Amino acid sequence: MAPITLNGNTIDLTSAGFSQDASLSENVLMQFRNDLTNDNLTALKAAEVQLQEYVGNKTYICQYKQRDLAALQKRLSFIGIAVVYPHEFVISRTLKTALDLRPDGAALDAQGQVIQAPQQAKIFVAVVLHQDHSNGLEKTVADIKALPGAVVVDASHNIIRTQIDKTQLHRIAALWSVRTIESIPQLQLTSNIARQTLKVDRVQDPFDSKEFCGEGEIIAIADSGLDTGDPSKMHPSFAGRVVAIHNYNLKDYNENLAGQKVLEYHKDDWEGHGTHVAGCALGGPVKDDKGDIIQGAAPKAGLLAIAMMLEATEGQKNEKQSMPSVPGLHGLFEVPYPTGATFVRPKIHSNSWNTFARFSEEQQDYGEATGKVVDEVTWTEKTQLICFGAGNDGRSHLQDGRQIGSVAAAKNCITVGATVNARSMVYDMDYQTPSQWMADAKEQKGLLGNLPPQPSLGQVNCVTEFSSRGPTKEGRMKPDVVAPGGVILSAKSKSDNAHIKNDYGDNNFTIMSGTSMACPFVSGCAAVLREALSKRRHLQNPSSALLKALIIHGASDLAISHGEARTLKGQSENGGTTNVEIDYDDGEKRVVKVLLEKPRDPIPLAPNGIQGHGLVDLEASLRPIWNDSFSSSATPHADLLDFDTGLLQGIPKLVRELKITGAFDLTVTLVWTDRPGKELQNQLRIELPNWKADGTRGDTATFIQTPKPINNVEKWTKRFDGGTVQICVNCVQTLGLEDKDRAPFAVVWSIRKV
């Protein structure tokens, strides 16, 4: 049997020493000889084995309430090995390495001896329980509190966040209810021209009520706060559209655990990040002092602002905000907004923050208390779309250029990378803060803040240097899409405590860059799509899978749609610097030193870990909703299916039968909401019966099918010579054969005659 890896620990289950006495714990690992068939699933159910999560290499975490695993293994010959969940898997490898822990979690001193006495320094960890022990949360909390020096910060669902001495970690790992112990990472924060790049202007006019501008939709933005913090004294970009402002720091989270309503402090945004992000998503339309209309992607959507900043001291208000640890994510995504006499969870949740690891510089894992929680929330609430920025670590060299991890590695969210905006910029190396940018003086007259140098000059076909790359540590393709994130003009916080440079000339707006800006643009596009689905298709509650499928389906491949996607300006063969003279509007001239970069290779064809499936194109994403038809055929040009009932293993679903005369290109995008877990739990694929892979007809035994997937997104284009094509979706793996095991999915397709 092949070794398996859990929490970064690789172990061969056939090694001696692992117990098969299930009376110790109902949580067991089962490794099977082959992929499970429907007959195998039926036999496991009859034996009272419940599959809980697929963890790779034909291995599952299971619940088994009988005693003797050896007898079960003998009775069901398709089981290769079955053991009680080993304690050696519990503490993450990253923690063990950083803290000099033995495989069982015991702490070692410099001589390699076990440390017995508690230490002074405490670490902040997430203790994640097995699924079936969520009801035993209180007992596990009591067990942890009984350990020397332990402080339980909060506990919710199946996650306990605690400050603990490292010498006590192995005692927590020895509790049979505990599945994982991992470090809690630190939280970090990651325009009119951008709207043109996204083709938003081509599908909406904010002054025309007939167009889709996100009206009736609510976007939750979890960030550093919003403007003044007072909805009655709000930035003109948001006036009248703020439904609530919540403060979600650790204190509020503890209050929420006690069953109380999350407190509303009406926090102001003295950091300025949250206000700018909100403007990208739904700001405007507001005219600047030049008469230009500045607005976000969904200028008629409502806003639920969730402030995640801890209380600032007077001394901090003149400094860059230090972000807290990542909060309990279940509660974050459940923060509601008032509608009448009730409270409703928002359907679109935008997050322009990411995490960095406390104990390691490696690419971050999916995470039981981070990425998995995102997938757990979206699996439970299948109509809530969660968006994350990919992160701004693209200039680092982690894992051979791979940086995306943690929350952004979640399967069911949309992870957004950043492209260069059409605004030109150069890097001023003489400025007192070396990592700041300079916008073109004739347009912006100022300096941009807090990002690595970027030599591109207005090339919208480029992914920015800072945008984090994929794939994830688990091999999943991320980001999903890219959107403008470099030199973005948006709302400027008017908080009395804000200390934000006036780098545009109009006190209502400022310029920032990052995947933090790209993410809310996509969230705003999702709100527009949701409005269009409601008004055009009468789909009042579309799945998050459908919204994600529409966005990915419409995305344009940078390597095709924009020619050679590389940096074309601000380069030299050997890198180095050069001097550039800038003319300001007031007649002032200044010579600045500009960083040059060696030419980069073109971006490869999508999908890949640089651009994902490409640059978001709202106009193209709306076409399947409009359901345009060819004038010479009754077959729609584009269409969609939101199949929330889901599939069981081995039962294909016919999505659509197309009858086309003459050659055509068929593009199909499949997205499914997957169960939480590092590996794919449900595996779906697209099948086209009676066609060969080269687009010619085959007999009934041949069909085009994609390989066994590793992502819960599939998009491809194939050319056919005309005729009848059946688009089918088949499920090749689930965790069972009951209705609760069904895999919901969405399909978007379009055809183009050639």
Side-chain angles (χ1 to χ4, degrees):
M1 307 300 291
I4 65 168
T5 300
L6 274 174
N7 308 322
N9 304 293
T10 300
I11 299 177
D12 185 350
L13 295 181
T14 60
S15 301
F18 295 131
S19 174
Q20 290 192 304
D21 182 3
S23 65
L24 298 172
S25 173
E26 298 174 353
N27 303 295
V28 301
L29 282 171
M30 291 189 184
Q31 190 169 30
F32 299 96
R33 301 185 187 280
N34 298 292
D35 291 336
L36 293 176
T37 66
N38 284 8
D39 288 341
N40 296 153
L41 292 173
T42 300
L44 288 169
K45 181 180 179 181
E48 300 182 14
V49 175
Q50 181 180 343
L51 303 182
Q52 293 186 330
E53 182 180 333
Y54 179 67
V55 294
N57 280 341
K58 302 180 178 63
T59 306
Y60 294 77
I61 298 176
C62 308
Q63 184 184 55
Y64 183 60
K65 296 186 177 182
Q66 303 302 316
R67 180 185 179 91
D68 193 347
L69 288 173
L72 175 69
Q73 184 178 326
K74 185 176 181 180
R75 188 165 79 250
L76 300 179
S77 60
F78 58 88
I79 299 177
I81 184 70
V83 300
V84 176
Y85 190 90
H87 298 313
E88 287 82 352
F89 273 133
V90 173
I91 303 176
S92 72
R93 181 192 60 81
T94 301
L95 268 180
K96 289 179 181 177
T97 301
L99 302 177
D100 293 323
L101 306 180
R102 287 192 322 198
D104 64 356
L108 304 177
D109 61 19
Q111 288 72 42
Q113 301 298 313
V114 175
I115 302 174
Q116 302 293 342
Q119 309 294 297
Q120 293 297 320
K122 293 181 179 180
I123 57 174
F124 196 14
V125 297
V127 178
V128 183
L129 308 189
H130 287 283
Q131 290 183 28
D132 61 309
H133 279 278
S134 58
N135 293 330
L137 186 65
E138 291 184 4
K139 182 181 184 307
T140 307
V141 168
D143 290 339
I144 293 175
K145 285 183 175 180
L147 297 174
V151 176
V152 173
V153 177
D154 53 52
S156 178
H157 295 78
N158 66 328
I159 298 175
I160 303 167
R161 303 197 311 154
T162 180
Q163 290 181 317
I164 189 76
D165 191 288
K166 75 173 186 177
T167 62
Q168 305 301 307
L169 284 177
H170 71 289
R171 301 184 186 278
I172 300 178
L175 300 174
W176 289 110
S177 61
V178 177
R179 171 186 165 161
T180 302
I181 301 174
E182 62 187 21
S183 169
I184 295 177
Q186 194 81 8
L187 186 149
Q188 63 181 359
L189 299 174
T190 36
S191 135
N192 53 347
I193 292 180
R195 282 170 53 90
Q196 296 169 15
T197 303
L198 296 168
K199 298 185 182 177
V200 175
D201 284 335
R202 295 175 62 170
V203 299
Q204 64 181 219
D205 178 350
F207 302 106
D208 184 346
S209 60
K210 297 179 181 178
E211 305 297 339
F212 300 128
C213 297
E215 187 174 16
E217 305 300 326
I218 304 296
I219 303 174
I221 295 179
D223 213 284
S224 60
L226 182 67
D227 197 37
T228 63
D230 183 352
S232 67
K233 300 176 181 179
M234 193 52 53
H235 191 289
S237 293
F238 317 116
R241 292 186 292 123
V242 180
V243 297
I245 303 176
H246 288 285
N247 182 284
Y248 193 75
N249 59 28
L250 295 178
K251 177 183 176 183
D252 294 332
Y253 188 63
N254 286 328
E255 295 289 338
N256 198 32
L257 284 174
Q260 300 180 22
K261 178 182 173 183
V262 176
L263 302 178
E264 294 185 34
Y265 288 126
H266 296 280
K267 299 288 290 187
D268 62 324
D269 181 19
W270 54 271
E271 166 72 22
H273 189 272
T275 304
H276 194 278
V277 164
C280 295
L282 48 80
V286 175
K287 290 184 178 180
D288 66 4
D289 59 0
K290 301 175 184 178
D292 295 331
I293 296 175
I294 311 299
Q295 57 188 321
K300 290 187 179 180
L303 171 61
L304 167 62
I306 304 173
M308 298 174 65
M309 304 293 253
L310 296 176
E311 283 281 1
T313 65
E314 287 301 318
Q316 286 177 315
K317 289 183 179 180
N318 292 318
E319 302 174 0
K320 178 175 173 58
Q321 173 65 18
S322 175
M323 296 300 294
S325 298
V326 173
L329 294 182
H330 286 98
L332 177 67
F333 299 126
E334 292 170 357
V335 171
Y337 64 90
T339 172
T342 62
F343 286 83
V344 178
R345 180 187 295 195
K347 299 300 184 182
I348 300 172
H349 205 289
S350 188
N351 300 270
S352 289
W353 55 270
N354 215 289
T355 66
F356 64 89
R358 295 175 185 270
F359 298 109
S360 173
E361 294 184 356
E362 294 182 4
Q363 183 182 20
Q364 294 181 73
D365 296 316
Y366 169 80
E368 292 288 317
T370 50
K372 187 175 182 180
V373 174
V374 176
D375 286 338
E376 191 174 300
V377 169
T378 48
W379 172 257
T380 303
E381 188 68 30
K382 295 182 177 62
T383 58
Q384 185 177 35
L385 178 69
I386 298 177
C387 300
F388 271 98
N392 297 334
D393 298 318
R395 292 185 68 88
S396 71
H397 299 286
L398 300 180
Q399 297 288 321
D400 297 324
R402 294 161 45 185
Q403 301 91 20
I404 294 176
S406 186
V407 287
K411 295 174 288 188
N412 297 333
C413 74
I414 294 183
T415 303
V416 186
T419 62
V420 178
N421 194 20
R423 294 183 190 276
S424 61
M425 64 228 179
V426 295
Y427 175 57
D428 180 1
M429 295 188 67
D430 289 333
Y431 191 66
Q432 60 182 350
T433 304
S435 62
Q436 293 196 328
W437 299 9
M438 178 174 242
D440 179 90
K442 293 182 179 179
E443 284 292 323
Q444 281 83 37
K445 298 174 65 174
L447 296 164
L448 311 180
N450 195 37
L451 283 170
Q454 165 64 37
S456 306
L457 301 179
Q459 299 296 320
V460 297
N461 57 339
C462 297
V463 176
T464 64
E465 286 290 314
F466 59 74
S467 186
S468 291
R469 268 63 169 172
T472 69
K473 202 169 184 178
E474 298 73 34
R476 200 156 31 252
M477 202 283 294
K478 289 282 182 174
D480 294 294
V481 290
V482 291
V487 194
I488 302 299
L489 181 66
S490 185
K492 178 177 179 287
S493 176
K494 303 177 78 174
S495 165
D496 292 337
N497 297 314
H499 295 272
I500 305 168
K501 291 183 180 297
N502 187 349
D503 47 19
Y504 181 63
D506 186 318
N507 197 45
N508 279 324
F509 303 101
T510 191
I511 297 170
M512 294 185 183
S513 297
T515 58
S516 288
M517 286 67 245
C519 176
F521 276 128
V522 176
S523 300
C525 288
V528 172
L529 292 171
R530 206 170 187 279
E531 178 196 11
L533 285 167
S534 173
K535 294 179 177 178
R536 187 88 180 202
R537 290 298 193 94
H538 306 293
L539 289 175
Q540 305 302 323
N541 212 19
S543 70
S544 60
L546 177 58
L547 294 176
K548 184 174 180 178
L550 286 166
I551 289 171
I552 289 175
H553 190 82
S556 59
D557 188 341
L558 290 174
I560 297 175
S561 60
H562 296 276
E564 289 191 344
R566 68 172 82 201
T567 303
L568 301 177
K569 297 181 181 179
Q571 295 183 341
S572 72
E573 186 65 29
N574 299 312
T577 63
T578 189
N579 292 330
V580 175
E581 186 175 75
I582 301 294
D583 293 325
Y584 285 81
D585 287 347
D586 57 9
E588 179 187 352
K589 292 185 178 182
R590 181 183 176 190
V591 177
V592 299
K593 189 178 292 183
V594 177
L595 178 70
L596 299 178
E597 186 184 78
K598 294 180 181 180
R600 292 177 292 172
D601 292 332
I603 295 177
L605 291 170
N608 56 62
I610 301 174
Q611 63 163 319
H613 290 276
L615 178 66
V616 171
D617 181 337
L618 183 58
E619 182 181 32
S621 293
L622 279 166
R623 286 185 191 127
I625 300 176
W626 289 330
N627 200 5
D628 294 336
S629 300
F630 289 121
S631 59
S632 60
S633 171
T635 300
H637 170 249
D639 209 345
L640 56 88
L641 173 68
D642 197 7
F643 197 67
D644 56 2
T645 304
L647 294 178
L648 290 176
Q649 184 169 304
I651 306 176
K653 167 70 176 178
L654 174 63
V655 174
R656 190 62 182 260
E657 182 175 279
L658 307 175
K659 296 181 179 179
I660 308 295
T661 302
F664 64 96
D665 288 337
L666 171 65
T667 301
V668 183
T669 302
L670 166 67
V671 175
W672 66 95
T673 301
D674 198 34
R675 285 175 174 271
K678 180 181 72 172
E679 304 288 338
L680 284 182
Q681 307 301 302
N682 299 325
Q683 296 192 3
L684 279 65
R685 66 187 182 197
I686 303 166
E687 298 180 351
L688 278 67
N690 306 324
W691 288 90
K692 297 179 181 179
D694 61 1
T696 59
R697 285 191 172 279
D699 57 34
T700 56
T702 63
F703 55 93
I704 297 175
Q705 68 178 41
T706 51
K708 191 173 183 179
I710 60 172
N711 305 295
N712 58 329
V713 175
E714 289 194 31
K715 177 184 178 182
W716 50 252
T717 299
K718 293 185 182 294
R719 179 161 293 182
F720 297 88
D721 57 7
T724 300
V725 177
Q726 292 181 326
I727 304 173
C728 299
V729 176
N730 196 7
C731 180
V732 297
Q733 175 182 299
T734 60
L735 297 186
L737 298 175
E738 301 179 16
D739 284 345
K740 65 180 180 62
D741 301 311
R742 290 179 177 271
F745 68 88
V747 175
V748 179
W749 58 265
S750 58
I751 53 180
R752 183 180 66 88
K753 287 189 172 182
V754 294

